[in-house]
Amino acid sequence: MSRRNRWIWVLIFMVIIIPALRIEAKQDPYAAKKKRMSDKVRRMFYHAYDSYMMYAFPHDELKPLTKTFTDSLSELGNLRLEHLPQEYNGSALTLIESLSSLAILGNHTEFEKAVLWLSENLTFDVDARINLFECNIRVLGGLVSAHILATDSTNRLGKGMYKNELLLLAEELGKRFLPAFDTPTGLPYAWINLKHGVMDNEITETSTSGCGSLILEMGALSHLTGDPRFESAALRALRKLWSMRSSLNLLGTTLDVETGEWIEYSSGIGAGVDSFYEYLLKAHILFGREEYWRMFQSAYLAVQKYFRHGPWYHEADMRTGRATFWQLTSLQAFWPGLQVLVGDIAAANSSHREFFHVWQKFGVLPERYLLDHQMLHPTEKYYPLRPELAESTFYLYQATKDPWYLEVGESIVDSLNLHTRVEGGFASIRDVTTMELEDHQHSFFLAETCKYLYLLFDDSFLVNQNYIFTTEGHPLPILSSWHERLPVAYIPSNWTSVKSEYQPKRASAMSLRMCPANCGNELLQSACHIPDFRVDHRCLTDEDCGIDSTSCRRRSCSMAGFCGLWLSI
């Protein structure tokens, strides 16, 4: 096995994915707590799921206060079920989103019933305008993941009962996506009609996430079907998007798919951009392509340099790096989880604690909080049962085994039960200052929020398994057969300096591709941190100085002979 492949598996087993549990002589002191909390989360999931099945199925999502339904995919596309009346517009979205959660909970009977029902009823041959990004992560991702789970040794359905129907549905949906990529730039339209393709006078504006977060689902579909068109289309779009970055390696938030010009130059790590960063790293893990790593490494260091302010991340202009908006958005809470995957544990813990502090302040995490004014955004005070804080808590506990994260998870569970549980399911919060409820139970509550909370307390599903989770929480297995082969002689150039007898430890944790906690006696404080050559920080030239752990800026040698951030003073 080459060096290049070895680091992937080391990171997978040690940090990224939960390693096989070892039987230890000493009993886990938190076993009883984990069992109690996993049972509580299980009850939460089934309260939400059973309420959906009773009051909303086979429509898209549940309205828990009135015990009715909403066909939320009317915004994404009305995916009719062929055996239902013509006027019906539901797609059983919540059922599709719940498939992998049912498998993780070990409910093989309900998983089998759901798979067979969808196999017999779901069709995409409809005159419907759908949002490509949302339909990709929710429907295509849900189907691909469920197909893999339906055919593995743990969840395999009864002999002869399942004949790859979900994969066939996913392939059909993928083919209906392809016309969206037929643009001068290769960047896909945000909206497409499943029957007629791109409509006349279709809007040409899309987001960075919308055209840069398709590679996991479409890449997996290509590997499963042998049809390279899906992965090729998503990769072409990703490459074009990356070519549009600024000289600072920053991207904007929205762009025009026909001209390839940016519309909104300000961006951060939240809405409109978040999953772009996530998919660069996860695509590298899933497919092993070095190109994804190079993109992610450059993008991550740029984020740390221009967006990070202590534990917070503000927004900045991609052209200048100057701060534009100082605000916390709930979607940013995914970032610590991503930092765990790259091994930046200290930075992840720092940001996660601040997000949890805001959660404790309001009881849940508001959609937007103005950091510069220390106040809620006047119109975005809601909490729609988002999963991002639970997701990051799960990853940090797996990386550190610090029981404090179990306490965080328990607090999240208690808050959800206290503030959002109603007789008909779980309701979103319209205003976090009054806890006024909104009549909507989003499908991602079952696909992600409950899933990550359950895995925090019971990770048995992941024993002897290696998965990554898509941005919608659907697990995809890490398979060597999906990995790009590299020459045995491949050695990254930045490893050469690490082995230098005269310049020890002259590389960052990121360039070494290892968790900072494994860097010997000296703990690297972040993935970009490079220590000064001398422990007393004395220097003769700038080459004796490293890279600052907080700002990711290069330190320089002063006239007095000490390393520091002198050029920024």
Side-chain angles (χ1 to χ4, degrees), residues 196-403:
H196 303 296
V198 179
M199 305 300 290
D200 292 338
N201 301 315
E202 184 58 83
I203 61 172
T204 60
E205 181 177 344
T206 191
S207 67
T208 298
S209 290
C211 58
S213 308
L214 306 168
I215 191 64
L216 291 187
E217 295 83 0
M218 297 187 72
L221 183 59
S222 281
H223 283 275
L224 290 169
T225 63
D227 187 340
R229 291 180 295 168
F230 312 116
E231 185 174 28
S232 295
L235 180 54
R236 181 189 176 207
L238 187 58
R239 285 171 172 165
K240 174 59 180 177
L241 186 63
W242 183 243
S243 74
M244 294 167 58
R245 70 193 185 279
S246 71
S247 60
L248 306 179
N249 285 329
L250 298 176
L251 293 89
T253 302
T254 58
L255 58 141
D256 188 296
V257 301
E258 292 186 349
T259 66
E261 299 293 330
W262 289 105
I263 297 173
E264 175 55 62
Y265 292 98
S266 178
S267 72
I269 58 170
V273 188
D274 49 356
S275 55
F276 165 75
Y277 297 109
E278 178 184 3
Y279 272 35
L280 288 180
L281 178 58
K282 290 184 176 180
H284 176 57
I285 296 168
L286 189 62
F287 303 123
R289 188 186 287 266
E290 184 70 12
E291 179 181 9
Y292 298 134
W293 171 259
R294 291 195 300 267
M295 291 181 188
F296 175 77
Q297 184 181 31
S298 298
Y300 182 83
L301 294 180
V303 166
Q304 295 298 93
K305 183 175 182 178
Y306 295 106
F307 294 165
R308 183 178 178 182
H309 184 77
W312 299 109
Y313 291 82
H314 57 71
E315 296 180 21
D317 189 308
M318 63 174 284
R319 299 164 295 185
T320 64
R322 294 174 181 168
T324 53
F325 300 104
W326 292 79
Q327 57 188 0
L328 169 153
T329 64
S330 61
L331 289 173
Q332 293 176 352
F334 90 99
W335 190 255
L338 184 67
Q339 291 182 304
V340 170
L341 297 187
V342 77
D344 206 346
I345 307 299
N349 173 67
S350 175
S351 294
H352 176 272
R353 288 177 179 268
E354 295 300 327
F355 280 112
F356 183 56
H357 176 71
V358 176
W359 178 286
Q360 289 179 305
K361 180 176 181 179
F362 293 102
V364 292
L365 196 61
E367 187 70 3
R368 196 175 298 269
Y369 184 77
L370 305 179
L371 296 172
D372 48 351
H373 298 292
Q374 291 293 298
M375 61 175 286
L376 286 170
H377 189 281
T379 61
E380 297 187 45
K381 305 177 184 179
Y382 53 89
Y383 170 68
L385 306 175
R386 290 203 187 277
E388 285 75 18
L389 183 61
E391 176 185 1
S392 289
T393 304
F394 158 70
Y395 279 114
L396 275 162
Y397 179 69
Q398 290 300 329
T400 66
K401 298 303 180 183
D402 185 337

Side-chain angles (χ1 to χ4, degrees), residues 111-130:
F111 176 77
E112 181 177 295
K113 286 170 55 180
V115 168
L116 297 179
W117 192 92
L118 290 167
S119 300
E120 295 174 357
N121 291 281
L122 189 61
T123 179
F124 300 113
D125 186 23
V126 291
D127 183 2
R129 181 173 178 263
I130 60 106

Side-chain angles (χ1 to χ4, degrees), residues 139-157:
V139 183
L140 183 62
L143 292 173
V144 167
S145 177
H147 163 73
I148 294 171
L149 294 171
T151 55
D152 74 13
S153 58
T154 303
N155 301 284
R156 185 173 295 141
L157 303 187

